[in-house]
Amino acid sequence: MEPVVGATPKVVKSDQEWREQLSPEEYAVLRQAGTERPFTGEYTDTKTTGIYECRACGAELFRSDTKFESHCGWPSFFDPSSSDAVLLREDRSLGMVRTEVLCATCHSHLGHLFEGEGYPTPTDQRYCINSISLRLVPAE
Protein backbone atom coordinates (compact mmCIF):
# COMPACT_ATOMS: atom_id res chain seq x y z
CA MET A 1 0.00 0.00 0.00
CA GLU A 2 1.15 3.52 -0.72
CA PRO A 3 1.64 5.72 2.34
CA VAL A 4 -0.88 8.43 3.08
CA VAL A 5 0.71 11.80 2.38
CA GLY A 6 1.14 13.88 5.54
CA ALA A 7 -0.14 11.19 7.92
CA THR A 8 1.76 8.71 10.04
CA PRO A 9 -0.06 5.61 11.28
CA LYS A 10 -0.18 5.09 15.05
CA VAL A 11 0.03 1.31 14.55
CA VAL A 12 2.95 0.25 12.37
CA LYS A 13 3.75 -3.37 11.56
CA SER A 14 5.90 -5.06 8.97
CA ASP A 15 4.27 -6.78 6.03
CA GLN A 16 5.19 -10.12 7.61
CA GLU A 17 3.54 -9.14 10.93
CA TRP A 18 0.32 -8.18 9.10
CA ARG A 19 0.39 -11.49 7.19
CA GLU A 20 0.76 -13.41 10.46
CA GLN A 21 -2.06 -11.49 12.18
CA LEU A 22 -4.62 -11.47 9.36
CA SER A 23 -6.21 -14.27 7.35
CA PRO A 24 -5.32 -14.25 3.63
CA GLU A 25 -8.75 -12.76 2.84
CA GLU A 26 -8.39 -10.04 5.50
CA TYR A 27 -4.87 -9.24 4.30
CA ALA A 28 -6.01 -8.92 0.67
CA VAL A 29 -8.62 -6.30 1.58
CA LEU A 30 -7.05 -4.47 4.54
CA ARG A 31 -3.43 -4.33 3.35
CA GLN A 32 -3.74 -4.69 -0.44
CA ALA A 33 -6.91 -2.61 -0.99
CA GLY A 34 -8.94 -5.54 -2.29
CA THR A 35 -12.72 -5.79 -2.18
CA GLU A 36 -14.92 -8.60 -0.97
CA ARG A 37 -17.67 -9.77 -3.29
CA PRO A 38 -20.96 -7.88 -2.85
CA PHE A 39 -23.67 -9.39 -0.62
CA THR A 40 -21.21 -11.88 0.93
CA GLY A 41 -19.93 -9.97 3.98
CA GLU A 42 -21.07 -10.84 7.48
CA TYR A 43 -22.25 -7.28 8.30
CA THR A 44 -24.08 -6.37 5.09
CA ASP A 45 -27.53 -6.89 6.62
CA THR A 46 -26.65 -6.78 10.33
CA LYS A 47 -28.89 -4.64 12.53
CA THR A 48 -27.06 -5.38 15.79
CA THR A 49 -26.43 -2.31 17.96
CA GLY A 50 -22.76 -1.72 18.68
CA ILE A 51 -19.44 -0.33 17.55
CA TYR A 52 -17.60 -1.29 14.38
CA GLU A 53 -13.85 -1.50 14.88
CA CYS A 54 -10.98 -1.92 12.45
CA ARG A 55 -10.30 -5.65 12.14
CA ALA A 56 -6.56 -4.95 11.80
CA CYS A 57 -5.96 -2.70 14.82
CA GLY A 58 -9.18 -2.48 16.87
CA ALA A 59 -9.69 1.28 16.47
CA GLU A 60 -13.31 2.47 16.64
CA LEU A 61 -14.49 3.44 13.15
CA PHE A 62 -18.29 3.50 12.94
CA ARG A 63 -21.33 3.09 15.19
CA SER A 64 -24.43 1.11 14.36
CA ASP A 65 -26.65 4.21 14.62
CA THR A 66 -24.99 5.55 11.42
CA LYS A 67 -25.43 2.30 9.47
CA PHE A 68 -28.15 2.31 6.83
CA GLU A 69 -29.53 0.04 4.12
CA SER A 70 -28.16 1.14 0.77
CA HIS A 71 -28.74 -2.22 -0.97
CA CYS A 72 -25.29 -1.91 -2.58
CA GLY A 73 -23.92 -5.21 -1.27
CA TRP A 74 -21.64 -3.86 1.47
CA PRO A 75 -22.27 -2.28 4.87
CA SER A 76 -23.00 1.43 4.47
CA PHE A 77 -22.56 4.20 7.03
CA PHE A 78 -23.33 7.90 6.70
CA ASP A 79 -20.64 9.12 9.12
CA PRO A 80 -17.57 7.78 10.95
CA SER A 81 -17.72 7.61 14.75
CA SER A 82 -15.37 10.61 15.04
CA SER A 83 -13.87 13.12 12.65
CA ASP A 84 -10.43 11.55 13.00
CA ALA A 85 -11.44 7.86 12.82
CA VAL A 86 -10.78 7.54 9.09
CA LEU A 87 -8.56 9.05 6.43
CA LEU A 88 -9.65 9.77 2.89
CA ARG A 89 -7.44 9.66 -0.19
CA GLU A 90 -7.98 9.85 -3.92
CA ASP A 91 -8.12 6.46 -5.62
CA ARG A 92 -7.59 6.39 -9.40
CA SER A 93 -7.58 2.61 -9.76
CA LEU A 94 -9.89 0.78 -12.16
CA GLY A 95 -9.96 3.73 -14.56
CA MET A 96 -12.09 5.97 -12.33
CA VAL A 97 -11.68 8.55 -9.59
CA ARG A 98 -13.03 7.51 -6.18
CA THR A 99 -12.36 8.37 -2.56
CA GLU A 100 -10.69 5.57 -0.62
CA VAL A 101 -11.47 5.20 3.09
CA LEU A 102 -8.61 4.12 5.38
CA CYS A 103 -8.38 3.47 9.10
CA ALA A 104 -6.64 6.53 10.57
CA THR A 105 -4.87 4.40 13.17
CA CYS A 106 -3.22 1.74 11.00
CA HIS A 107 -3.95 2.99 7.46
CA SER A 108 -5.69 -0.25 6.47
CA HIS A 109 -8.07 -0.12 3.50
CA LEU A 110 -11.73 -0.11 4.54
CA GLY A 111 -13.67 0.76 1.39
CA HIS A 112 -14.77 3.90 -0.46
CA LEU A 113 -16.80 7.05 0.18
CA PHE A 114 -19.52 8.14 -2.22
CA GLU A 115 -21.40 11.44 -2.04
CA GLY A 116 -24.51 12.95 -3.54
CA GLU A 117 -26.32 9.68 -4.26
CA GLY A 118 -29.56 10.91 -2.71
CA TYR A 119 -29.86 8.55 0.25
CA PRO A 120 -32.05 10.05 3.01
CA THR A 121 -29.20 10.44 5.49
CA PRO A 122 -28.00 13.53 7.37
CA THR A 123 -24.71 13.74 5.43
CA ASP A 124 -25.66 12.57 1.90
CA GLN A 125 -22.56 10.39 2.12
CA ARG A 126 -22.18 6.61 1.86
CA TYR A 127 -19.13 5.04 3.45
CA CYS A 128 -19.20 1.73 1.57
CA ILE A 129 -17.10 -0.53 3.79
CA ASN A 130 -15.97 -4.13 3.39
CA SER A 131 -17.34 -6.36 6.18
CA ILE A 132 -13.99 -8.13 6.36
CA SER A 133 -12.37 -4.79 7.33
CA LEU A 134 -14.61 -4.51 10.38
CA ARG A 135 -15.32 -6.25 13.67
CA LEU A 136 -18.65 -5.54 15.36
CA VAL A 137 -18.57 -5.21 19.13
CA PRO A 138 -22.21 -5.54 20.23
CA ALA A 139 -23.57 -3.10 22.81
CA GLU A 140 -24.15 -4.62 26.23
Side-chain angles (χ1 to χ4, degrees), residues 65-123:
D65 60 358
T66 65
K67 188 173 187 283
F68 69 100
E69 291 190 36
S70 65
H71 308 286
C72 70
W74 295 273
S76 296
F77 303 86
F78 61 79
D79 210 16
S81 63
S82 72
S83 60
D84 59 355
V86 300
L87 296 173
L88 304 176
R89 95 171 145 192
E90 186 176 274
D91 175 3
R92 292 185 169 268
S93 66
L94 305 177
M96 62 182 109
V97 179
R98 299 179 293 171
T99 301
E100 182 181 14
V101 181
L102 304 162
C103 171
T105 301
C106 69
H107 293 194
S108 287
H109 172 79
L110 304 173
H112 289 88
L113 170 63
F114 300 94
E115 299 184 84
E117 296 178 312
Y119 288 104
T121 62
T123 62

Side-chain angles (χ1 to χ4, degrees), residues 7-133:
T8 303
K10 295 178 188 94
V11 173
V12 178
K13 296 183 180 190
S14 69
D15 188 60
Q16 184 60 38
E17 289 173 310
W18 285 122
R19 286 181 185 275
E20 290 170 5
Q21 174 187 332
L22 302 169
S23 72
E25 296 81 13
E26 291 167 344
Y27 182 86
V29 173
L30 288 157
R31 304 309 303 168
Q32 297 180 311
T35 302
E36 65 191 355
R37 291 182 22 248
F39 302 102
T40 62
E42 66 181 306
Y43 302 128
T44 302
D45 298 317
T46 300
K47 299 195 184 346
T48 303
T49 301
I51 294 171
Y52 289 88
E53 297 178 339
C54 175
R55 194 170 295 213
C57 73
E60 181 178 321
L61 300 171
F62 299 95
R63 294 188 178 170
S64 59
D65 60 358
T66 65
K67 188 173 187 283
F68 69 100
E69 291 190 36
S70 65
H71 308 286
C72 70
W74 295 273
S76 296
F77 303 86
F78 61 79
D79 210 16
S81 63
S82 72
S83 60
D84 59 355
V86 300
L87 296 173
L88 304 176
R89 95 171 145 192
E90 186 176 274
D91 175 3
R92 292 185 169 268
S93 66
L94 305 177
M96 62 182 109
V97 179
R98 299 179 293 171
T99 301
E100 182 181 14
V101 181
L102 304 162
C103 171
T105 301
C106 69
H107 293 194
S108 287
H109 172 79
L110 304 173
H112 289 88
L113 170 63
F114 300 94
E115 299 184 84
E117 296 178 312
Y119 288 104
T121 62
T123 62
D124 201 20
Q125 295 180 319
R126 176 172 59 95
Y127 288 81
C128 183
I129 307 298
N130 291 285
S131 285
I132 203 165
S133 297

